[in-house]
Amino acid sequence: MVLPLLGAIAFWAVQGMWGWIWDKISGPPGLTAYTSGLTPCAPATLPLVLQAKTDKAIVVTGVKVNVLPDDSKEGFAYREDPSVGKCAGTAHDPMFDVNLTQTPASVVSVAENAEPDRTDFPFTVSSDHPKQLRLRINPGKRDVRFSLKVEWVADGEYGSATLPDDDRRMH
């Protein structure tokens, strides 16, 4: 009677210890954000792929847009090309309108995607369930440079990823 009980307790202790060890070696939560850059469409869109760096799920709480000074060498450059035609998109990715004429610039869900959990913040990503979304850029009638900050939370830890950086990736 005592031997099976001790075996069960030892098994439970090893399982609990493994969970603690795995949490320590898997690293802190983090977000990888990637974009291939502005599309040559009218209006321009910016595809954005978000994925957790660890097995832990991350809640993406929003995207903030920072309009940069005209003389900035950094950020995404939007220059309207009147010869560019319309491009088709996919209806499966959530779409957000980015209005660069407002201060602060706004990021608002487009209601054309009627599926719940696909159309607005917050949403969850993990390492095996990344999420792609599209940002439809409205610069007004001007050339503009801007950067994006994707804000997230995981296990009570807040973080952000800023795009672009040199290779258009942020960890």
Side-chain angles (χ1 to χ4, degrees):
M1 172 87 169
V2 172
L3 193 55
L5 183 59
L6 287 175
I9 291 172
F11 180 73
W12 176 74
V14 167
Q15 276 188 321
M17 183 66 95
W18 175 249
W20 179 82
I21 290 170
W22 182 252
D23 280 348
K24 297 302 176 198
I25 63 173
S26 66
L31 180 75
T32 298
Y34 174 79
T35 183
S36 56
L38 287 164
T39 62
C41 302
T45 59
L46 185 70
L48 189 59
V49 178
L50 306 173
Q51 184 173 22
K53 290 170 52 175
T54 65
D55 289 339
K56 294 180 180 180
I58 291 178
V59 177
V60 178
T61 58
V63 173
K64 304 284 185 207
V65 178
N66 183 27
V67 176
L68 301 171
D70 292 338
D71 61 349
S72 176
K73 303 282 188 241
E74 299 180 8
F76 296 104
Y78 180 91
R79 290 182 176 83
E80 192 169 3
D81 181 355
S83 67
V84 176
K86 299 269 185 203
C87 296
T90 172
H92 299 292
D93 298 335
M95 173 86 74
F96 295 85
D97 280 333
V98 178
N99 189 343
L100 299 175
T101 64
Q102 293 180 338
T103 304
S106 65
V107 179
V108 178
S109 174
V110 175
E112 68 187 39
N113 297 330
E115 297 177 49
D117 189 42
R118 288 187 163 258
T119 58
D120 206 356
F121 298 107
F123 55 79
T124 304
V125 296
S126 63
S127 61
D128 57 346
H129 286 90
K131 185 152 187 127
Q132 179 168 320
L133 50 106
R134 292 180 296 142
L135 304 176
R136 189 165 52 192
I137 309 301
N138 174 11
K141 298 190 184 299
R142 63 187 178 124
D143 292 346
V144 66
R145 288 191 167 276
F146 64 96
S147 65
L148 303 173
K149 182 161 110 175
V150 181
E151 298 177 329
W152 57 268
V153 64
D155 290 338
E157 181 178 333
Y158 294 89
S160 64
T162 302
L163 287 164
D165 68 354
D166 291 340
D167 66 353
R168 302 268 165 101
R169 294 179 192 265
M170 178 51 75
H171 303 285

